[in-house]
Amino acid sequence: MRLLTVGNVFTGGVLLRLAMLVYGLWQDAHMTVKYTDIDYLVFTDAARSVWNGGSPYERSTYRYTPLLAWLVTPNVWLHSVFGKCVFVACDCLVGWLIVCVLKTRKLSDHTQAVYSALWMLNPYVANISTRGSAESVVCACVMAVFYEFQRKRIVSGSVLFGLAVHLKIYPIIYAIPLLVLLNSTNFGSPSARKSTSGKQTLGNRIASLFNVHRVSFFVISASVFCALNVVMYAVYGWEFVDETYIYHVSRKDHRHNYSMWFLPIYLQFYSPASAFMGLVSFVPQALVVGVLGLSFDSDLYFAAFAQTFAFVAYNKVCTAQYFIWYMCLLPVVWPYSKMGLVQGGLAVGVWVGSQALYLQQAYRLEFLGENTFGWLWVAGAGIFVANNWILGGIIAKQRIVSLFNVDKELTAKKEQ
């Protein structure tokens, strides 16, 4: 009897999260250092404002869509842990979607269990949702988008994409690989696929860029995104636009974080140069993310993984919870990696080690009161270099497999 089954993985994952939820309540009640993320307190305060008929933006540092505050209003009138339960449910939904994706790609039940365990039995992932971070909500929405397109459900996938971008702006980067995917070869009729396989005039090639699938995706997703924004603007006015979107473009974070942009922005915080550096930081990020989105043909999941990994690495603000954005995609791309155990272990070691060096300097700054800003910047630069090296290694060892043409020979080989 196999212990590692999908059912056991999910049972273990749910129990792990329930145990961490209960432990979090105990730690919050008995220890000086709290388990609950400060963001969760912000969500709750914003929900209280909404419940009392006010705006979520009455709570300073609330920089999210009002939908999130609406979602956790039961924190106010039911129980303060309600929002965490919602985030844990979304966390488990991501695990279920991972299994669905692997099953659709014709991987065995055992393989589904192995790779879904990377998410469901990962204490780091469970810690993020049980502390009250809302990242699992966005991850669930993103995974649902990809799964719907994998099933060739353009309408529902487009609706979910519009919602995902409204919830958090970063999923807009996935428009590039989705548009690449929506060609006539993948989504057209047999006659359309045959017509695109022969010689085409320049006019036909240009026309094929604007096929009905791409136009439908753009119109539906943009309509959902705009409709949600119109509703929020009608209720909360310009404050909604400013706090939810404009703030993140012009954001200048004076708190230390993993990004190597932190120290230059911090040193020039009250200077116009600081805002300029914040905007300039988008240039290399946009270029790298854009190129990666175009580089992997119809392998939607790997293109999205590479994009997200680079987006986080190049972002002007980088915190640990952002890693969840690409970790939810790792279980569906790893089965097609040719990276060996030693290489994989080395990559994980470099990823963890570079962060450990940074945290050691952060500890000296925060708890010992030492001036380690210079070393923090060096450590942040080390994380940036390490992430680029890791991503390069992953790309070099990845087998690019079209979303709709599962390589059965490769699948069988990976499952032996």
Side-chain angles (χ1 to χ4, degrees), residues 25-53:
L25 292 173
W26 179 87
Q27 181 174 326
D28 286 345
H30 295 91
M31 298 181 68
T32 302
V33 178
K34 305 303 181 184
Y35 182 83
T36 298
D37 194 310
I38 186 64
D39 284 346
Y40 189 71
L41 304 181
V42 173
F43 301 155
T44 303
D45 289 344
R48 185 174 293 108
S49 295
V50 170
W51 183 249
N52 292 329

Side-chain angles (χ1 to χ4, degrees), residues 288-413:
V288 173
V289 169
V291 169
L292 290 172
L294 293 168
S295 299
F296 302 107
D297 193 27
S298 295
D299 194 339
L300 174 62
Y301 289 108
F302 186 69
F305 170 81
Q307 280 189 302
T308 313
F309 197 101
F311 183 90
V312 173
Y314 281 75
N315 206 32
K316 63 181 177 181
V317 178
C318 180
T319 63
Q321 64 191 35
Y322 293 178
F323 302 153
I324 295 295
W325 298 351
Y326 59 77
M327 288 177 72
C328 68
L329 293 161
L330 184 61
V332 298
V333 301
W334 199 343
Y336 300 98
S337 175
K338 296 179 287 184
M339 185 175 286
L341 185 62
V342 174
Q343 293 171 304
L346 179 60
V348 172
V350 170
W351 187 78
V352 173
S354 62
Q355 293 171 49
L357 290 174
Y358 180 93
L359 293 173
Q360 190 264 342
Q361 297 302 320
Y363 172 82
R364 290 175 58 197
L365 174 68
E366 296 287 350
F367 292 94
L368 303 181
E370 299 177 15
N371 183 356
T372 61
F373 282 102
W375 286 113
L376 275 173
W377 182 85
V378 171
I383 290 175
F384 178 76
V385 172
N387 282 333
N388 277 275
W389 177 79
I390 292 168
L391 181 57
I394 291 173
I395 292 173
K397 293 295 183 178
Q398 187 69 16
R399 174 74 177 270
I400 305 304
V401 180
S402 174
L403 191 63
F404 305 115
N405 297 312
V406 178
D407 190 333
K408 295 181 180 178
E409 181 181 347
L410 174 65
T411 299
K413 184 178 178 181

Side-chain angles (χ1 to χ4, degrees), residues 86-279:
V86 172
F87 302 156
V88 166
C90 290
D91 191 351
C92 294
L93 176 58
V94 171
W96 177 78
L97 287 167
I98 288 170
V99 171
C100 290
V101 169
L102 296 175
K103 183 178 295 185
T104 305
R105 304 199 88 175
K106 297 180 171 55
L107 294 170
S108 71
D109 291 345
H110 177 68
T111 304
Q112 294 168 32
V114 170
Y115 288 103
S116 63
L118 294 175
W119 179 267
M120 289 301 299
L121 299 182
N122 190 330
Y124 178 86
V125 172
N127 175 260
I128 294 294
S129 60
T130 56
R131 290 185 66 221
S133 170
E135 302 306 328
S136 61
V137 178
V138 183
C139 289
C141 201
V142 167
M143 290 298 294
V145 169
F146 295 153
Y147 183 55
E148 288 301 281
F149 278 99
Q150 184 176 359
R151 299 169 75 190
K152 296 192 175 183
R153 296 181 175 181
I154 297 177
V155 174
S156 55
S158 300
V159 169
L160 288 168
F161 183 75
L163 174 61
V165 177
H166 174 78
L167 289 172
K168 207 145 202 169
I169 198 67
Y170 89 87
I172 192 67
I173 65 177
Y174 304 136
I176 299 173
L178 284 169
L179 287 170
V180 170
L181 181 74
L182 290 168
N183 57 45
S184 297
T185 302
N186 291 326
F187 282 82
S189 62
S191 59
R193 289 195 293 268
K194 184 177 180 180
S195 65
T196 57
S197 62
K199 291 185 177 179
Q200 290 184 294
T201 65
L202 178 60
N204 288 338
R205 289 180 180 178
I206 294 174
S208 68
L209 295 175
F210 301 94
N211 63 40
V212 64
H213 313 296
R214 287 170 176 154
V215 172
S216 297
F217 165 64
F218 174 79
V219 171
I220 296 170
S221 59
S223 297
V224 171
F225 175 75
C226 291
L228 288 169
N229 287 339
V230 167
V231 171
M232 299 305 162
Y233 182 81
V235 178
Y236 299 111
W238 183 256
E239 190 175 31
F240 153 69
V241 179
D242 186 48
E243 297 288 0
T244 305
Y245 298 117
I246 296 178
Y247 166 79
H248 294 283
V249 175
S250 59
R251 179 178 181 180
K252 299 186 299 180
D253 202 321
H254 67 284
R255 303 287 300 192
H256 67 81
N257 59 83
Y258 291 133
S259 174
M260 69 175 186
W261 288 98
F262 148 69
L263 188 59
I265 292 176
Y266 174 79
L267 293 176
Q268 302 290 332
F269 193 75
Y270 294 105
S271 166
S274 179
F276 176 75
M277 281 187 286
L279 293 174

